Amino acid sequence: MKEIPIDLRIPDIERDKEMARCADLCFKINQTNPIAPECRQLIEELFNNNLDKTTEIRPPFFTLLANTVKLGKGIVLMNGFKCMSSGGLTIEDNTLVALNCTILTNNHDFYDRPVITCKPVHIKRNVWIGANVTILPGVTIGENSIVGACSVVTKDVPDNAVAVGNPARVIKFLDAEKFKK
């Protein structure tokens, strides 16, 4: 997967507008009663009304660029979800993300730090991500997989795998036949 560099010294009006829009909406979401209808309305506005009714996002919540995030159906993002999404994030259907998880799609160039290097993160369908997990740029989490609590995912996780630790490593595989399609 190729890194895409973004030089933050070069003005990008559209990017700046989206970041400001997201900062404003995330602030409002995080200051609104999470069970009030207004909170859901703000979340839907953040995702440009492209959020499926079966997907739940529980504040507090933060994303840098919501226009680079694609969320499927039946997703649950629990409280404390944070996403640096410059590289793009896709979360497919029926994925559960526990408390205080962080997904990073960008990093800084080691030698020219105003340049961020971006790689997308892809979480396939029916994944369960435990509490306090960090997922780094360029990672794909395979279908039906589980990432254990407090893991730091630095490399791809295959389908039907259980990965744990820092850095996360596969410790077992699940029986794919047992999942309902």
Side-chain angles (χ1 to χ4, degrees), residues 81-97:
F81 180 83
K82 294 174 285 306
C83 176
M84 299 292 286
S85 56
S86 295
L89 170 62
T90 300
I91 302 177
E92 292 183 11
D93 298 349
N94 303 316
T95 291
L96 306 175
V97 180

Side-chain angles (χ1 to χ4, degrees), residues 76-136:
V76 177
L77 301 178
M78 289 297 292
N79 316 70
F81 180 83
K82 294 174 285 306
C83 176
M84 299 292 286
S85 56
S86 295
L89 170 62
T90 300
I91 302 177
E92 292 183 11
D93 298 349
N94 303 316
T95 291
L96 306 175
V97 180
L99 292 169
N100 299 319
C101 289
T102 301
I103 297 178
L104 305 168
T105 69
N106 48 283
N107 202 349
H108 289 271
D109 183 281
F110 289 177
Y111 301 101
D112 192 10
R113 296 199 179 131
V115 173
I116 58 172
T117 55
C118 304
K119 288 183 181 179
V121 170
H122 187 174
I123 300 171
K124 294 187 177 178
R125 65 177 297 283
N126 202 39
V127 169
W128 174 19
I129 298 173
N132 297 303
V133 166
T134 298
I135 299 172
L136 297 183

Side-chain angles (χ1 to χ4, degrees), residues 13-142:
I13 294 168
E14 290 305 311
R15 179 183 163 84
D16 291 347
K17 282 171 49 178
E18 177 64 6
M19 287 176 64
R21 185 186 79 84
C22 290
D24 179 60
L25 285 167
C26 285
F27 177 81
K28 288 175 182 174
I29 290 164
N30 295 332
Q31 303 302 314
T32 302
N33 180 339
I35 61 171
E38 296 80 22
C39 189
R40 177 64 186 203
Q41 291 165 355
L42 289 166
I43 292 169
E44 288 179 4
E45 182 180 346
L46 178 66
F47 290 100
N48 297 308
N49 298 310
N50 290 324
L51 193 64
D52 190 83
K53 300 281 184 222
T54 62
T55 290
E56 296 179 44
I57 297 174
R58 300 187 183 163
F61 169 86
F62 173 79
T63 187
L64 187 63
L65 296 166
N67 66 346
T68 64
V69 177
K70 295 179 183 127
L71 300 174
K73 298 176 183 176
I75 294 169
V76 177
L77 301 178
M78 289 297 292
N79 316 70
F81 180 83
K82 294 174 285 306
C83 176
M84 299 292 286
S85 56
S86 295
L89 170 62
T90 300
I91 302 177
E92 292 183 11
D93 298 349
N94 303 316
T95 291
L96 306 175
V97 180
L99 292 169
N100 299 319
C101 289
T102 301
I103 297 178
L104 305 168
T105 69
N106 48 283
N107 202 349
H108 289 271
D109 183 281
F110 289 177
Y111 301 101
D112 192 10
R113 296 199 179 131
V115 173
I116 58 172
T117 55
C118 304
K119 288 183 181 179
V121 170
H122 187 174
I123 300 171
K124 294 187 177 178
R125 65 177 297 283
N126 202 39
V127 169
W128 174 19
I129 298 173
N132 297 303
V133 166
T134 298
I135 299 172
L136 297 183
V139 167
T140 295
I141 308 289

